[in-house]
Amino acid sequence: MVQQIFMLSVFLYIAAAFLSLVMNRIYKVANYISAIGTFAAAIAGLVSTIIVLVQGMPFAAEFPRFVPFARFTIEVDYLSAFMILVISLIAAVTAIFTLTYNERYIGKNAGIFGFLNNIYILSMILAVASSNAFYFLVFWEIMTLASYFLVIAKQDKEAINSGFVYFAVAHAAVTLIIFSIIVLYIYAGSFDFSDFRNAEIPQATKNLIFLLSFLGFGIKAGIVPFHTWLPITYSSAPSTVSALMSTKVAIYGLIRIGVDFLGASVWWWGLTLLAFGAISAVVGILYASVEKDLNRLLAYSSTENVGIILMGIGVGMIGFAVEQPVLGTLGMLAGLYHMVNHAVFKGLLFLCTGSVIYRVQTTNMEEMGGLAKRMPWTGFAFLIGALAISAIPPLNGFVSEWFLYQSLFMAGNHSILAVKALSPLFAVMLALTGAIAAMCFVKAYGVVFAGPSRSEHAREAREVPVPMIAGMMLLVVGILVLGLGAPVVAPYIGHVASSLLNTSSPQVSEGLTVYPTSKTQAMLSTPLLFLFLMGLLVVPLFIVWTLRGEKSGRRMDSTPWATGYAYSARMAYSATAFSQPLRVLFHPVYWIRTTLVEVGSKIASYFRQVVGCIDRLESFWENTVYGSLARGTVLLGKRIQDIQLGNVRMYCLYIIITLVILLITTIR
Amino acid sequence: MSGTAVVNFLAVLLILTSMLVIETRRLRLAAYMYSLQSLVLVLIFLSLAIFMHAEPLYIWSFTALITKVFLVPWLIIRTLKKIGDQEGESAFKTSTTVLFAVFLVALSFAVANSFQTYAVVKVKIAMGVSIALFLLGLLCILTKKNALKQIFGYCLMENGSHLTLALLAYNAPETVEIGILTDAIFAVVIMLVIAGRLFKSFGTLDTDNYTLLKG
Amino acid sequence: MGENLLYLLPAVPLVTALLSFVIRSYRIVEVVHVAGISGLALLSLGLVKSLLGGQTFFALDGMLYADGLTAILILLIGTVGFLSGFYSIGYMRHDLAHGEVKERDLSTYYGFYHLFLFTMILSAISNNIAILWAAVEATTLGSAFLVGFYKHKTSAEAAWKYVLICSVGLAFALYGTILTYSNAFSVVQDAHKAMLWTELIKMAHQLDPQMMKLAFVFILIGFGTKAGLVPMHTWLPDAHSEAPSPASALLSGVLLKCALFAMVRYYAIALQSVGSEFPQTLLLIFGLLSVGVAAFFILVQNDIKRKLAYSSVEHIGIIATGLGVGGPLGIFAAFLHTINHSITKSLLFCTTGNITMKYGTRDATKIRGMKKVAPLTGFLFAAGLIAVAGSPPFNIFISELMTLTAGLKSGLFWPMILLLLFLVIAFAALVILISETVLGSPPEDLPRGETNWMGLLPLGILFVFMAGLGIYLPAPLNQLLQDAVGVVLGH
Amino acid sequence: MVWFALGSILLPILGSVLVLLIPERHVKKAGQFFSFLAFICGLLLWIGFAENRDSFTRDLLTIGGINLFGITIDTLSVLVNLMVVFIGWLICTYSVGYMNAGNREHPVTEGIPRFYSFMLLFIGSMSGLVLSSTLLGLLFFFEMTGLCSWNLIGFYGDQKSRNSALWAIILTHFAALGLYVATAFVYINTGSFSISALGNLNETEKIIAFGGILLASWGKSAQLPLHPWLPRAMVAPTPVSAYLHAASMVKVGVYIFARTVLEAGAVPQVIGEVGAIMAVLTMVYGFIMYFPQDDMKKLLAYSTIAQLSYIFLAISLSIYGSELAFNGAVSHIFNHAFAKGLFFLVAGALAYTTGTRRLSMLRGILSKLPVIGVGYIAAAMSIVGSPPFSGFFSKFMIILAGFQVGWHQPLILVLMVVTLVESVGSFIWILRWMGVNVFGSPSEAIAGASPTPVSIQVVVGVLILMTLVSQYIVFLLLS
């Protein structure tokens, strides 16, 4: 039954893809078909995976072989189901969003866009669903290919360039992944996941596989120092695509290989993840905070969030490695929880950005401002998203980070010195990240939505059409559900985490509270927190309401002023100005960033010289090697030609000399 | 005087005459010298025929008398009337050529010595001379630039090989001799015709000038 | 039947030659000529057919003789003689029409043509080694006027060099002949028998090896001169390039082989008398030398007929290499190559005739764009050049491959690699020639269209042979070659 | 079966003679017709073989008890033969549209019969080479393909193209010497020309024979150091280049290598080592040479060189006993043919419509010429090995097999890592040009493009489809 629903979802994606391709000429129809198809398919996917997760019934299926050396099998276990859930969720929301968004942005190619979009989502789902590494790779690559075309959908120079960067980096990453999978294959003898799990692999090889896959998936996920492609890509990709890309399927691969296949066998793997995660988180958010371009800001923030997810998984892997299932599950829970959270709030933020771009037609925050008044729904959604991403309780971002803090504290009690020593440091870094993130998104909201409008478009902006609002609102609901509903949601994610180790899932919630497996360490109840916060809001209002008789003096001057000057738009606290203190504070980090950029251009200039050299190499072969051979032959021919000098007496002499030589050798 | 001695004496005479053919600057004179040499050759044939009781050699000497003593010189002289009989320069001085000739003669005798195991060779000196004659002919072709001189050279070679044939294969069928002789005559005829044409075309008989075709 | 053919075969061209010399009207001479070559072709085919299966015939008291070797030569003389003779008609008419030659000259030409054929037939069928020598020498004399046929300075020069060098060279062969004879005579003490090749081969193992070695050296130099082995080849490019094209075809296609086969007769004796090493090594050295030197000449020479002449030197070299490799396979390859080369080179020289008619020059740097000017001629020329370059689907490819195979079989690895490298140079030279002359863009002022349509017919036939032998070796021909190999190896 | 095989060899050859004889206005149709007949034969052969899968060898021409030519029907030959005749047919169809006076890059007004004649001869020769069961047959058709390519490369007849044609024939002929030696060597050691006789040689003899074969294959497949003819051959009319690169000429080399390795049983490992090292060297060289190229066809030429190195690498790996590598090689021969054929035809279509092949002048193909644009994408993605295009599967098989072998052979492991790096590098470079050329707003050259002939569009369409499904045709036979 579950399987049928899942297959229905797959079928719907395919149908939507090809129908929209066929209808490309009538692009509006194509857009609707595609969006509705995607939505229906995503709902089917959601239903099937929720059944899997809730009822605990993974399923598997095998299809006819296309390729002689690999079985085409699909297996939706907890982890896959969780991933599919996340993907489907975002897919459904973006589907609604695209109904109107695409009409304007993709225009006449909406059919093709629909086709690629469906293929992209489907390949993501199949990649996480297949239980054969070869098909995982195939779908992974199809996913990359489809997303490449989606990234360059606008087809301007910038988009093409960013598409190039995206695809090139993704392909390089895939190569590393292929490498690691091939090594697994060599030991397992087939591409089946089940064989991978049971393969006898020496520890050194395991390390190699892990490092390769970590690099590969890490690049794809955008961790520091491989994050540079993210802002480039996101800045020109359509917002819906950026939202879909925020599902971070790469993490799935890392978990699959690192934890599922290799059993997280040594503790330093986890520590590596943890370290890279922490650095990514801090550096990512630092970069984000000084960014003027909204898309790029969100991209850097993705790096940050990937870092946080990795930290969770790192802790989880340490837990598994040292055979502390509780720590492992908890860390993994934090990571996975943050993954779904990130997908939801980052998706929301991208959709909001999409909406803003839809009206303002720029991504430069300096040209926005004051949009909250003109686009109230969008502003509200962005606010919720910003709060969530800044880990403000009781929203979802806070919950997952809270779990992460708890797991880090737990790891701090660990016997391994490095882990023990570093865990608090990572916790501090996480805190720093949270702080800067809050500041960063305050800035973002403030600059974009508050204050005066700083451009013509911004002044003329109005609210986006209903489908787009609906899409955003769905995600707002998602944030609330994941935040306030944490006591309900967390155990299921805990199931997913524990299923990776085949342990019983630990207790992480009771009633309205969640806790890191033991109530003594800490407890959190987001619903109660929410009530409390609501209370905090309500109480002042109540006070004001009770004291309403007493009129306090209100300044009614409508135009603001500053130090004696009348207000102008240029005076507003702009994005650049806002981040000035950070720039000063973290000067070295930014310095690295600028020098890196310069190095790029320097390398490019060397590259041109190299190209010139290579150009000459071609003629080297032809002129020097073969040319001299040919010339030499002709020259030799001309020398030899001299023997035919035309004198008949010489000719006779030749005969005689030959005869004499022969006679001498014969008689001798 | 035994038969061998006669033959050997005549053979030495051949060397002398061939040197005269080579070194005579006037071609008409050279033609006469060649005629003389051929006469000596005929005499050798005759003496061989007598002393060795080789009947076929009578016919040989007869045909040789007609062709070599009379026909060939006549043909050459006939051609000389058209093209003048003065030889141009040669590649070496006379003294050098003679030195070469001496060397070649010595070589020939050395070679002829190696034939001693063969019963047929009763007249070693004659054998050596026949080879020497052949080589002198070659020498003439190599050192003389004049086309007619080269024809003489060819004739000398031909005489030499004829003598060798007579010494070694005197009892071979007549057809052989006739065939070879016919070839020789025709070769000379053709060469003379071509030499005539060459003179008409190039205005000289110096073969070193005939180098239009090379490479 | 066979014996009669041995008389008839030389008689036909001899009579035709005499008639041609006598008759003045060139129209009648042409008729006589056609009759002569047709008769010759039929008779030679008849002889070859009766020789199949290792048959031998004697005639004239054993002086004339025919076996497998003869059959190959007779086949070539008949076929090439007929086809290039047929081609001559159109060629000569063209020359006549353009005032190159006079009517009287045509009679001379046809007369010498047949005389030449006669001498070659004689060399093919003579059993007496002295007559053999005389016949080979006679071929020089018969063809000398063909070489010097045109009234150019260069023609006379070429003829002079041809006659002089060949005569000098062949004089050495006479010494070789005499040495062989005296060697044999000391064995059998019978002057008649000691001159007959069939007897010599029977007593070969009794001959004095040292003497035979010496004789073989003289024979190699002598007949090698006539066959065109380097460094005695010097007359060859001159003669072949100056002769009228059909005569060049005959010179290159058949004459060289006559001399070569005369050498093969001695080679057969030497094999038994002195063992295989000595003659084979000599032939191998001369073969490789010829291929190597000729390959360079082909590359740097600009006159297309001289190029083709050097190509003949090259192929004679390959045949010599095949003989030098020895063994049934090597000799088979050599003989097959002989046939193949004759066909191909005749085709090429005749085609060159068409080209010179069209372009009025033999300079490869001036002949351009044949594919547009004269497509059929261009096609045949290109096909022929590809064939002599040793590329499939044409015949020479097969025999070259066989030569190589035989060489490797004998363990001559490096010589064969050397051979192949030389062949690459020749190949390159020839394809460059095609590329320039056939494919290039033609001169503006040259009128389009074929000349000498009549001449294309024999060329077409030659082309069919050339392509056919590249794909399939007919059983009778195979039989013929096997017979010839049997003759050489003495079983 | 044998008749189908013979049909695919002889029908085009027959056609090549006929097109020279019939009036010029019928030539294009006749050319199409005969190539189509060949394709039908090839297809029927494939179907027949796919049904019962029995490989066999039939001797056809035997003289004196020695088999000179025969036909081998097995997976390899049937597949490659299908590729040869299929692409041959497509190219002949394409040329109907391409070879006319409307061609912007190089209007063609004369020589059509010659073109079709050699094209058909080319198809027939290739088919003959592929199906031949003897080394003699291989050698024969090896040289035939050289001749055909020579004439076709020099088709335009100007100085440059003639020179390039000479490069091609002289270099490949030089390489052919290796095959000559190998053929002769096998014959004298086994008394047979049959390819399977290679298996009867001993170790040392095999090294010599395979040394020769390797040389020949390198030359024909334009591998280092015998490669310079291939980039130069780009002066040929584009359909010719397409056929040279896709289905013939360069495939001759890899095919004979594959065929001989398949038949020879155990091949000395040193051959595998040399083959693999040279393959990787060439691959890297080909990759490096991408950078300075601005001529689309030249870029493709170097891409061909690099892609053929993959096949060489795979065959060399199969010498180590990896069946997967061999299957990968077969697949790559097949897949690369369609992808590279498509790529060249796209280049040709661009040249036809815009008159330029300069990469830097092409932009926004997709918007103006959608079919061509999609063709470009499909070809590029298939060549760089991105699924679902078929190039991925074969490349993956090769790399997989390489690591499998390399796990116990440090040398191979190093080579495979280099290969992997190269694959990423070439991917990036091709992708870069694809981004520049295909997307965006049309550049001047593209905007002024003339309409594409229908035959070109149809052929490009068919090939796009083939880049997606060609792999499954292979797998149908391999599984």
Side-chain angles (χ1 to χ4, degrees), chain A residues 66 68-69 134 141 145 149 152 155 160 164 167 171 175 179 182 185-187 191 614 618 621-622 626, chain D residues 225-226 228 232 285 288-289 298 302 377 381 387 396-397 400 403 407 420 424 427-428 431 435 439-440 475:
Chain A
F66 286 119
F69 51 84
F134 178 75
E141 278 281 75
L145 184 64
F149 290 117
I152 60 164
Q155 291 204 20
I160 292 166
F164 166 67
F167 204 178
H171 191 81
T175 309
F179 198 166
I182 284 176
Y185 168 84
I186 289 168
Y187 283 93
F191 282 111
I614 292 168
E618 193 175 22
W621 272 108
E622 297 185 0
Y626 288 101
Chain D
L226 297 167
R232 283 174 160 259
Y285 176 79
I288 290 174
M289 294 312 296
K298 245 182 159 182
Y302 281 107
I377 294 170
M381 287 298 109
F396 186 83
M397 283 160 90
L400 179 62
F403 278 105
W407 211 240
L420 219 49
V424 177
F427 172 90
I428 289 172
L431 179 72
F439 306 107
F475 284 153

Side-chain angles (χ1 to χ4, degrees), chain D residues 266-408:
Chain D
V267 179
Q269 197 150 320
V270 62
I271 296 297
E273 279 165 19
V274 171
I277 292 172
M278 287 308 290
V280 173
L281 278 181
T282 312
M283 196 186 292
V284 172
Y285 176 79
F287 167 61
I288 290 174
M289 294 312 296
Y290 286 180
F291 299 131
Q293 308 306 340
D294 192 31
D295 180 344
M296 184 163 176
K297 281 175 78 177
K298 245 182 159 182
L299 178 69
L300 293 184
Y302 281 107
S303 146
T304 302
I305 291 175
Q307 292 302 312
L308 286 166
S309 304
Y310 275 93
I311 304 174
F312 267 104
L313 179 63
I315 302 170
S316 304
L317 288 170
S318 77
I319 290 174
Y320 288 85
S322 168
E323 198 193 340
L324 186 65
F326 194 81
N327 289 344
V330 177
S331 315
H332 207 57
I333 292 177
F334 198 73
N335 296 338
H336 174 254
F338 290 99
K340 192 48 70 70
L342 174 59
F343 221 150
F344 269 103
L345 295 189
V346 165
L350 290 172
Y352 181 96
T353 51
T354 66
T356 182
R357 302 195 311 238
R358 285 173 62 90
L359 286 164
S360 48
M361 287 172 72
L362 302 171
R363 201 172 62 247
I365 299 168
L366 196 57
S367 55
K368 174 80 185 183
L369 307 160
V371 177
I372 306 300
V374 173
Y376 192 124
I377 294 170
M381 287 298 109
S382 186
I383 279 172
V384 297
S386 183
F389 297 101
S390 41
F392 168 80
F393 295 90
S394 39
K395 252 189 188 178
F396 186 83
M397 283 160 90
I398 293 170
I399 287 172
L400 179 62
F403 278 105
Q404 227 172 349
V405 171
W407 211 240
H408 310 291

Side-chain angles (χ1 to χ4, degrees), chain C residues 14-37:
Chain C
L14 193 61
V15 171
T16 318
L18 293 177
L19 280 175
S20 304
F21 282 130
V22 174
I23 298 167
R24 295 209 162 238
S25 158
Y26 86 93
R27 296 274 172 201
I28 301 172
V29 171
E30 272 179 4
V31 174
V32 171
H33 168 68
V34 170
I37 53 175

Side-chain angles (χ1 to χ4, degrees), chain D residues 8-143:
Chain D
S8 69
I9 301 172
L10 295 179
L11 282 172
I13 293 178
L14 177 70
S16 91
V17 176
L18 279 183
V19 293
L20 288 178
L21 304 177
I22 60 175
E24 190 160 338
R25 60 179 187 282
H26 298 307
V27 163
K28 284 186 172 178
K29 277 182 207 132
Q32 253 181 308
F33 176 69
F34 278 102
S35 57
F36 179 69
L37 284 186
F39 167 61
I40 291 297
C41 284
L43 191 66
L44 289 174
L45 182 63
W46 181 80
I47 292 171
F49 183 77
E51 270 170 9
N52 49 21
R53 306 278 178 96
D54 55 337
S55 311
F56 62 90
T57 299
R58 181 77 48 85
D59 297 347
L60 291 178
L61 182 64
T62 304
I63 290 180
I66 300 161
N67 178 29
L68 299 182
F69 184 72
I71 278 182
T72 294
I73 307 252
D74 63 3
T75 312
L76 179 64
S77 64
V78 168
L79 260 181
V80 180
N81 184 49
L82 177 66
M83 164 195 106
V84 166
V85 290
F86 190 9
I87 296 188
W89 172 50
L90 289 178
I91 302 262
C92 281
T93 310
Y94 180 92
S95 308
V96 171
Y98 187 86
M99 303 297 280
N100 62 30
N103 192 328
R104 289 249 182 115
E105 190 205 13
H106 209 303
V108 181
T109 49
E110 60 176 356
I112 303 284
R114 191 160 56 95
F115 176 82
Y116 271 96
S117 177
F118 277 110
M119 205 68 211
L120 288 170
L121 189 60
F122 211 158
I123 298 173
S125 308
M126 255 327 273
S127 211
L129 179 109
V130 168
L131 292 167
S132 168
S133 73
T134 62
L135 283 164
L136 201 63
L138 284 188
L139 185 55
F140 184 88
F141 288 114
F142 185 100
E143 293 281 57

Side-chain angles (χ1 to χ4, degrees), chain A residues 180-210:
Chain A
S180 70
I181 283 180
I182 284 176
V183 178
L184 274 168
Y185 168 84
I186 289 168
Y187 283 93
S190 88
F191 282 111
D192 290 338
F193 282 0
S194 50
D195 290 330
F196 279 7
R197 287 184 192 107
N198 302 329
E200 301 265 334
I201 308 173
Q203 187 58 46
T205 313
K206 276 191 179 180
N207 291 344
L208 175 73
I209 296 170
F210 169 73

Side-chain angles (χ1 to χ4, degrees), chain A residues 641-654 656 659 667, chain B residues 91-92 138 140-145 150 207-208 210-211 213-215:
Chain A
Q641 204 177 18
D642 290 345
I643 67 170
Q644 189 86 2
L645 42 67
N647 190 323
V648 70
R649 295 189 296 122
M650 282 302 141
Y651 293 170
C652 290
L653 195 62
Y654 295 161
I656 291 155
L659 180 69
I667 293 168
Chain B
F92 296 104
L138 263 182
C140 182
I141 291 177
L142 287 179
T143 55
K144 302 295 170 188
K145 293 180 181 174
Q150 289 180 350
T207 53
D208 279 12
Y210 306 157
T211 52
L213 295 167
K214 56 182 173 185

Side-chain angles (χ1 to χ4, degrees), chain A residues 26-107:
Chain A
I26 321 164
Y27 59 95
K28 285 191 177 171
V29 178
N31 190 28
Y32 275 89
I33 289 174
S34 149
I36 292 166
T38 314
F39 186 76
I43 294 300
L46 277 175
V47 170
S48 64
T49 49
I50 286 173
I51 294 173
V52 170
L53 287 175
V54 172
Q55 300 201 335
M57 39 191 297
F59 64 89
E62 177 157 4
F63 299 92
R65 276 180 188 226
F66 286 119
V67 178
F69 51 84
R71 295 195 306 151
F72 187 8
T73 51
I74 281 202
E75 188 184 342
V76 179
D77 59 2
Y78 284 112
L79 183 61
S80 300
F82 176 74
M83 289 307 301
I84 296 169
L85 180 85
V86 175
I87 297 163
S88 301
L89 188 64
I90 305 299
V93 172
T94 51
I96 297 169
F97 193 80
T98 49
L99 277 176
T100 45
Y101 178 80
N102 268 11
E103 267 184 24
R104 165 113 168 254
Y105 267 87
I106 309 300

